[in-house]
mmCIF file of all heavy atoms in Angstrom:
data_model
loop_
_atom_site.group_PDB
_atom_site.id
_atom_site.type_symbol
_atom_site.label_atom_id
_atom_site.label_comp_id
_atom_site.label_asym_id
_atom_site.label_seq_id
_atom_site.Cartn_x
_atom_site.Cartn_y
_atom_site.Cartn_z
ATOM 1 N N LYS A 55 -180.945 -74.807 44.851
ATOM 2 C CA LYS A 55 -182.232 -75.503 44.982
ATOM 3 C C LYS A 55 -183.140 -75.274 43.784
ATOM 4 O O LYS A 55 -183.877 -76.172 43.381
ATOM 5 C CB LYS A 55 -182.932 -75.061 46.264
ATOM 6 C CG LYS A 55 -182.186 -75.454 47.532
ATOM 7 C CD LYS A 55 -182.972 -75.044 48.780
ATOM 8 C CE LYS A 55 -182.256 -75.458 50.052
ATOM 9 N NZ LYS A 55 -183.006 -75.064 51.276
ATOM 10 N N THR A 56 -183.115 -74.065 43.260
ATOM 11 C CA THR A 56 -183.952 -73.752 42.098
ATOM 12 C C THR A 56 -183.151 -72.931 41.103
ATOM 13 O O THR A 56 -182.191 -72.245 41.466
ATOM 14 C CB THR A 56 -185.211 -72.955 42.491
ATOM 15 O OG1 THR A 56 -184.816 -71.729 43.118
ATOM 16 C CG2 THR A 56 -186.108 -73.762 43.426
ATOM 17 N N GLY A 57 -183.561 -73.040 39.852
ATOM 18 C CA GLY A 57 -182.973 -72.217 38.808
ATOM 19 C C GLY A 57 -184.028 -71.265 38.268
ATOM 20 O O GLY A 57 -185.159 -71.219 38.755
ATOM 21 N N ARG A 58 -183.638 -70.521 37.233
ATOM 22 C CA ARG A 58 -184.574 -69.548 36.705
ATOM 23 C C ARG A 58 -184.402 -69.417 35.193
ATOM 24 O O ARG A 58 -183.304 -69.168 34.703
ATOM 25 C CB ARG A 58 -184.351 -68.191 37.364
ATOM 26 C CG ARG A 58 -185.462 -67.185 37.110
ATOM 27 C CD ARG A 58 -185.133 -65.859 37.798
ATOM 28 N NE ARG A 58 -184.825 -66.047 39.202
ATOM 29 C CZ ARG A 58 -185.753 -66.145 40.161
ATOM 30 N NH1 ARG A 58 -187.027 -66.076 39.849
ATOM 31 N NH2 ARG A 58 -185.405 -66.293 41.414
ATOM 32 N N LEU A 59 -185.506 -69.608 34.479
ATOM 33 C CA LEU A 59 -185.550 -69.306 33.056
ATOM 34 C C LEU A 59 -185.979 -67.857 32.895
ATOM 35 O O LEU A 59 -186.911 -67.407 33.566
ATOM 36 C CB LEU A 59 -186.543 -70.216 32.337
ATOM 37 C CG LEU A 59 -186.028 -71.548 31.786
ATOM 38 C CD1 LEU A 59 -187.199 -72.425 31.356
ATOM 39 C CD2 LEU A 59 -185.083 -71.321 30.608
ATOM 40 N N ARG A 60 -185.307 -67.136 32.008
ATOM 41 C CA ARG A 60 -185.660 -65.737 31.770
ATOM 42 C C ARG A 60 -185.764 -65.476 30.272
ATOM 43 O O ARG A 60 -184.953 -65.976 29.490
ATOM 44 C CB ARG A 60 -184.594 -64.785 32.329
ATOM 45 C CG ARG A 60 -184.398 -64.829 33.827
ATOM 46 C CD ARG A 60 -183.304 -63.839 34.218
ATOM 47 N NE ARG A 60 -182.891 -63.982 35.601
ATOM 48 C CZ ARG A 60 -183.392 -63.285 36.613
ATOM 49 N NH1 ARG A 60 -184.342 -62.407 36.377
ATOM 50 N NH2 ARG A 60 -182.962 -63.457 37.844
ATOM 51 N N LEU A 61 -186.739 -64.681 29.909
ATOM 52 C CA LEU A 61 -186.849 -64.184 28.544
ATOM 53 C C LEU A 61 -186.569 -62.689 28.559
ATOM 54 O O LEU A 61 -187.014 -61.981 29.450
ATOM 55 C CB LEU A 61 -188.256 -64.422 27.984
ATOM 56 C CG LEU A 61 -188.745 -65.865 27.869
ATOM 57 C CD1 LEU A 61 -190.150 -65.882 27.280
ATOM 58 C CD2 LEU A 61 -187.793 -66.697 27.026
ATOM 59 N N ARG A 62 -185.836 -62.234 27.553
ATOM 60 C CA ARG A 62 -185.656 -60.794 27.360
ATOM 61 C C ARG A 62 -186.288 -60.423 26.036
ATOM 62 O O ARG A 62 -185.893 -60.936 24.988
ATOM 63 C CB ARG A 62 -184.181 -60.399 27.383
ATOM 64 C CG ARG A 62 -183.970 -58.888 27.220
ATOM 65 C CD ARG A 62 -182.539 -58.485 27.534
ATOM 66 N NE ARG A 62 -181.591 -59.034 26.590
ATOM 67 C CZ ARG A 62 -181.288 -58.473 25.415
ATOM 68 N NH1 ARG A 62 -181.895 -57.340 25.044
ATOM 69 N NH2 ARG A 62 -180.394 -59.015 24.629
ATOM 70 N N LEU A 63 -187.295 -59.549 26.099
ATOM 71 C CA LEU A 63 -187.993 -59.149 24.886
ATOM 72 C C LEU A 63 -187.303 -57.952 24.244
ATOM 73 O O LEU A 63 -186.601 -57.189 24.914
ATOM 74 C CB LEU A 63 -189.449 -58.814 25.189
ATOM 75 C CG LEU A 63 -190.439 -59.992 25.122
ATOM 76 C CD1 LEU A 63 -190.078 -61.075 26.123
ATOM 77 C CD2 LEU A 63 -191.863 -59.502 25.350
ATOM 78 N N ARG A 64 -187.507 -57.792 22.965
ATOM 79 C CA ARG A 64 -186.970 -56.633 22.262
ATOM 80 C C ARG A 64 -187.651 -55.364 22.792
ATOM 81 O O ARG A 64 -188.858 -55.376 23.078
ATOM 82 C CB ARG A 64 -187.187 -56.783 20.759
ATOM 83 C CG ARG A 64 -186.462 -57.975 20.172
ATOM 84 C CD ARG A 64 -186.886 -58.252 18.747
ATOM 85 N NE ARG A 64 -186.496 -57.171 17.840
ATOM 86 C CZ ARG A 64 -186.837 -57.136 16.565
ATOM 87 N NH1 ARG A 64 -187.607 -58.094 16.050
ATOM 88 N NH2 ARG A 64 -186.449 -56.138 15.794
ATOM 89 N N ASP A 65 -186.893 -54.318 22.935
ATOM 90 C CA ASP A 65 -187.452 -53.059 23.430
ATOM 91 C C ASP A 65 -188.618 -52.623 22.551
ATOM 92 O O ASP A 65 -188.508 -52.593 21.325
ATOM 93 C CB ASP A 65 -186.385 -51.970 23.433
ATOM 94 C CG ASP A 65 -185.350 -52.171 24.525
ATOM 95 O OD1 ASP A 65 -185.600 -52.966 25.433
ATOM 96 O OD2 ASP A 65 -184.277 -51.519 24.461
ATOM 97 N N GLY A 66 -189.716 -52.266 23.197
ATOM 98 C CA GLY A 66 -190.885 -51.787 22.469
ATOM 99 C C GLY A 66 -191.830 -52.869 22.000
ATOM 100 O O GLY A 66 -192.852 -52.560 21.385
ATOM 101 N N ALA A 67 -191.529 -54.148 22.282
ATOM 102 C CA ALA A 67 -192.378 -55.236 21.785
ATOM 103 C C ALA A 67 -193.615 -55.450 22.645
ATOM 104 O O ALA A 67 -194.658 -55.870 22.142
ATOM 105 C CB ALA A 67 -191.574 -56.536 21.702
ATOM 106 N N ASP A 68 -193.508 -55.168 23.950
ATOM 107 C CA ASP A 68 -194.585 -55.502 24.882
ATOM 108 C C ASP A 68 -195.069 -54.245 25.618
ATOM 109 O O ASP A 68 -194.283 -53.593 26.312
ATOM 110 C CB ASP A 68 -194.086 -56.526 25.897
ATOM 111 C CG ASP A 68 -195.152 -56.949 26.893
ATOM 112 O OD1 ASP A 68 -196.349 -56.746 26.598
ATOM 113 O OD2 ASP A 68 -194.796 -57.480 27.952
ATOM 114 N N PRO A 69 -196.344 -53.896 25.493
ATOM 115 C CA PRO A 69 -196.851 -52.709 26.198
ATOM 116 C C PRO A 69 -196.761 -52.828 27.719
ATOM 117 O O PRO A 69 -196.628 -51.816 28.413
ATOM 118 C CB PRO A 69 -198.309 -52.603 25.727
ATOM 119 C CG PRO A 69 -198.663 -53.948 25.195
ATOM 120 C CD PRO A 69 -197.390 -54.527 24.660
ATOM 121 N N LEU A 70 -196.825 -54.043 28.256
ATOM 122 C CA LEU A 70 -196.715 -54.229 29.702
ATOM 123 C C LEU A 70 -195.331 -53.826 30.186
ATOM 124 O O LEU A 70 -195.194 -53.090 31.180
ATOM 125 C CB LEU A 70 -197.007 -55.678 30.082
ATOM 126 C CG LEU A 70 -196.814 -56.047 31.566
ATOM 127 C CD1 LEU A 70 -197.788 -55.265 32.437
ATOM 128 C CD2 LEU A 70 -196.990 -57.550 31.774
ATOM 129 N N LEU A 71 -194.292 -54.274 29.497
ATOM 130 C CA LEU A 71 -192.933 -53.930 29.909
ATOM 131 C C LEU A 71 -192.670 -52.445 29.722
ATOM 132 O O LEU A 71 -191.965 -51.824 30.529
ATOM 133 C CB LEU A 71 -191.920 -54.750 29.095
ATOM 134 C CG LEU A 71 -191.898 -56.250 29.377
ATOM 135 C CD1 LEU A 71 -190.827 -56.927 28.538
ATOM 136 C CD2 LEU A 71 -191.663 -56.533 30.857
ATOM 137 N N HIS A 72 -193.238 -51.859 28.678
ATOM 138 C CA HIS A 72 -193.010 -50.429 28.459
ATOM 139 C C HIS A 72 -193.695 -49.595 29.543
ATOM 140 O O HIS A 72 -193.103 -48.665 30.082
ATOM 141 C CB HIS A 72 -193.526 -50.009 27.084
ATOM 142 C CG HIS A 72 -193.217 -48.578 26.762
ATOM 143 N ND1 HIS A 72 -191.986 -48.178 26.282
ATOM 144 C CD2 HIS A 72 -193.957 -47.443 26.896
ATOM 145 C CE1 HIS A 72 -191.984 -46.867 26.121
ATOM 146 N NE2 HIS A 72 -193.163 -46.393 26.483
ATOM 147 N N ALA A 73 -194.939 -49.939 29.876
ATOM 148 C CA ALA A 73 -195.691 -49.155 30.861
ATOM 149 C C ALA A 73 -195.104 -49.285 32.262
ATOM 150 O O ALA A 73 -195.191 -48.355 33.070
ATOM 151 C CB ALA A 73 -197.154 -49.573 30.861
ATOM 152 N N THR A 74 -194.502 -50.429 32.565
ATOM 153 C CA THR A 74 -193.970 -50.655 33.912
ATOM 154 C C THR A 74 -192.492 -50.319 34.019
ATOM 155 O O THR A 74 -191.943 -50.306 35.126
ATOM 156 C CB THR A 74 -194.177 -52.122 34.340
ATOM 157 O OG1 THR A 74 -193.539 -52.990 33.392
ATOM 158 C CG2 THR A 74 -195.654 -52.460 34.418
ATOM 159 N N GLY A 75 -191.840 -50.067 32.893
ATOM 160 C CA GLY A 75 -190.438 -49.673 32.928
ATOM 161 C C GLY A 75 -189.520 -50.699 33.558
ATOM 162 O O GLY A 75 -188.520 -50.356 34.173
ATOM 163 N N GLY A 76 -189.859 -51.997 33.429
ATOM 164 C CA GLY A 76 -189.016 -53.048 33.997
ATOM 165 C C GLY A 76 -189.087 -53.138 35.504
ATOM 166 O O GLY A 76 -188.190 -53.696 36.143
ATOM 167 N N ARG A 77 -190.167 -52.624 36.104
ATOM 168 C CA ARG A 77 -190.258 -52.586 37.571
ATOM 169 C C ARG A 77 -191.094 -53.723 38.161
ATOM 170 O O ARG A 77 -191.394 -53.703 39.348
ATOM 171 C CB ARG A 77 -190.843 -51.247 38.018
ATOM 172 C CG ARG A 77 -190.020 -50.031 37.590
ATOM 173 C CD ARG A 77 -190.615 -48.756 38.124
ATOM 174 N NE ARG A 77 -189.941 -47.576 37.618
ATOM 175 C CZ ARG A 77 -190.326 -46.878 36.566
ATOM 176 N NH1 ARG A 77 -191.431 -47.254 35.909
ATOM 177 N NH2 ARG A 77 -189.653 -45.830 36.167
ATOM 178 N N LEU A 78 -191.477 -54.696 37.369
ATOM 179 C CA LEU A 78 -192.264 -55.809 37.906
ATOM 180 C C LEU A 78 -191.380 -56.708 38.765
ATOM 181 O O LEU A 78 -190.334 -57.190 38.316
ATOM 182 C CB LEU A 78 -192.878 -56.632 36.768
ATOM 183 C CG LEU A 78 -194.029 -55.973 36.008
ATOM 184 C CD1 LEU A 78 -194.444 -56.855 34.831
ATOM 185 C CD2 LEU A 78 -195.215 -55.742 36.930
ATOM 186 N N ALA A 79 -191.790 -56.948 40.000
ATOM 187 C CA ALA A 79 -191.021 -57.804 40.901
ATOM 188 C C ALA A 79 -191.147 -59.262 40.462
ATOM 189 O O ALA A 79 -192.059 -59.645 39.721
ATOM 190 C CB ALA A 79 -191.515 -57.637 42.336
#
Side-chain angles (χ1 to χ4, degrees):
K55 295 183 179 180
T56 59
R58 193 181 307 277
L59 270 169
R60 297 180 190 266
L61 299 181
R62 182 168 66 85
L63 271 61
R64 297 170 66 185
D65 288 345
D68 181 19
L70 175 63
L71 292 182
H72 185 81
T74 58
R77 300 183 186 95
L78 288 175

